Amino acid sequence: MAVKQDRNFDDLAHKFAASIYGTAKGEIRQTVVWQDIEAILQHLQPDDNHKAALTVLDAGGGLAQLSQKIATLGHQVSLCDLSSEMLSLAKQDIAQNNLLSRFQFIHSPVQQVAEHLDGTVDLVLFHAVMEWLTEPLAALNSLCDQVKVGGIISVMFYNYNGLLFKNLICGNLKHIEQGMPHRKRFKLQPQQGIKPELVYQCLQQAGFEILGKTGVRTFHDYMQNHDMGHFSFEEIVAMEQKLCRQEPFLSLGRYIHVYARKKAV
């Protein structure tokens, strides 16, 4: 029997970039999560008069959209990805934005990134990676070890509850009864949904205090009518921002973003 392996996007890097980042879905994701990143940076740098550069690990960071925005604020980023093609595309984009001096590039599985770091970091970004991994919680646990005491880990994952709800409203009851197996013909659809309670439990058991949770695309992907004659994209984004940190909408997001601070032992 073939051994299941973590997904490497070398074969789909260009398509992934266009289909995920260059879409309305991607823009909503970036907008909502960036609000949380701003809150995270404020937690890490509460004193406006003394803002030293932070060390940031973008684990499985793809094209590094969010970590580039962080780098523009003066911080140092280690960008790690299993895909050499993704890293190459990211490096081109980073060079065009004149940010190369603020980046270190690491071609490695996230589970082995510690071998390439000088020490623990202030902030770990682990976004939209867990759902592609064979052992997602083990990978999350290993990245928790890379965070300094007082540092923060920012995790975004494909939400099992959102996947279940989407299949329910589409009437895919047999697919649900079969355990919602990954459909290979949908190459850019994540391989699995992650149950939120497992992520929260993993963080807490690793010695982290959860600071915030956000639903990413709490209703956009469920809309039956995307006719933009009735509303603008800006109105959709504004409503997503309004609902994304409220229950029950938070827990129905297609993705969930959670960030947590490492407590002193």
Side-chain angles (χ1 to χ4, degrees):
M1 187 171 75
V3 177
K4 186 178 178 183
Q5 296 182 330
D6 294 344
R7 185 66 166 93
N8 184 320
F9 284 98
D10 274 345
D11 59 329
L12 289 171
H14 291 270
K15 184 176 181 180
F16 192 94
S19 299
I20 301 299
Y21 297 119
T23 63
K25 291 181 179 182
E27 187 170 340
I28 293 170
R29 183 166 111 178
Q30 296 291 99
T31 300
V32 169
V33 176
W34 181 250
Q35 286 187 309
D36 286 349
I37 297 297
E38 289 180 318
I40 288 169
L41 295 177
Q42 186 60 41
H43 278 292
L44 292 171
Q45 298 180 313
D47 187 346
D48 288 337
N49 297 319
H50 299 89
K51 290 195 172 183
L54 299 171
T55 52
V56 180
L57 169 61
D58 195 353
L63 298 184
Q65 265 90 350
L66 284 177
S67 58
Q68 285 193 64
K69 292 184 72 171
I70 293 172
T72 62
L73 300 176
H75 307 300
Q76 293 297 134
V77 179
S78 296
L79 175 63
C80 168
D81 207 283
L82 180 62
S83 168
S84 59
E85 188 63 26
M86 273 291 191
L87 280 177
S88 177
L89 290 175
K91 193 169 186 178
Q92 292 173 32
D93 197 41
I94 290 165
Q96 289 177 356
N97 292 326
N98 298 312
L99 291 170
L100 279 177
S101 64
R102 300 204 175 276
F103 273 82
Q104 172 193 5
F105 298 91
I106 302 172
H107 181 214
S108 166
V110 296
Q111 299 91 330
Q112 298 171 16
V113 70
E115 300 171 13
H116 306 274
L117 298 174
D118 293 331
T120 52
V121 299
D122 297 300
L123 173 61
V124 169
L125 306 180
F126 192 37
H127 292 177
V129 180
M130 292 180 69
E131 53 269 19
W132 300 102
L133 302 181
T134 303
E135 297 183 7
L137 294 174
L140 174 58
N141 201 54
S142 71
L143 288 172
C144 286
D145 290 339
Q146 311 314 315
V147 182
K148 294 177 181 177
V149 172
I152 290 176
I153 188 165
S154 161
V155 184
M156 184 176 71
F157 58 93
Y158 192 56
N159 179 19
Y160 174 87
N161 295 332
L163 178 61
L164 175 60
F165 188 61
K166 179 68 171 179
N167 276 286
L168 283 169
I169 62 177
C170 290
N172 298 328
L173 303 188
K174 288 185 178 179
H175 184 60
I176 294 170
E177 290 173 350
Q178 293 166 356
M180 299 189 297
H182 180 247
R183 293 166 169 170
K184 293 184 179 179
R185 67 182 183 274
F186 300 136
K187 293 185 177 180
L188 293 182
Q189 180 181 336
Q191 294 174 176
Q192 61 186 316
I194 310 294
K195 292 185 177 180
E197 61 270 22
L198 298 180
V199 177
Y200 306 152
Q201 183 181 58
C202 182
L203 292 171
Q204 290 166 337
Q205 289 178 344
F208 284 74
E209 172 195 6
I210 293 175
L211 300 176
K213 302 172 185 174
T214 298
V216 180
R217 302 203 310 270
T218 60
F219 70 88
H220 172 271
D221 294 19
Y222 308 121
M223 293 175 69
Q224 299 298 309
N225 180 7
H226 285 81
D227 182 0
M228 299 300 282
H230 296 293
F231 44 79
S232 68
F233 178 67
E234 290 72 22
E235 287 175 311
I236 292 178
V237 174
M239 187 62 73
E240 286 282 1
Q241 290 174 304
K242 182 177 180 179
L243 299 176
C244 65
R245 296 174 186 91
Q246 301 178 31
E247 293 291 5
F249 312 104
L250 189 167
S251 292
L252 289 177
R254 295 310 302 276
Y255 289 80
I256 289 178
H257 179 239
V258 54
Y259 54 100
R261 190 199 325 254
K262 192 169 196 175
K263 297 183 289 188
V265 178

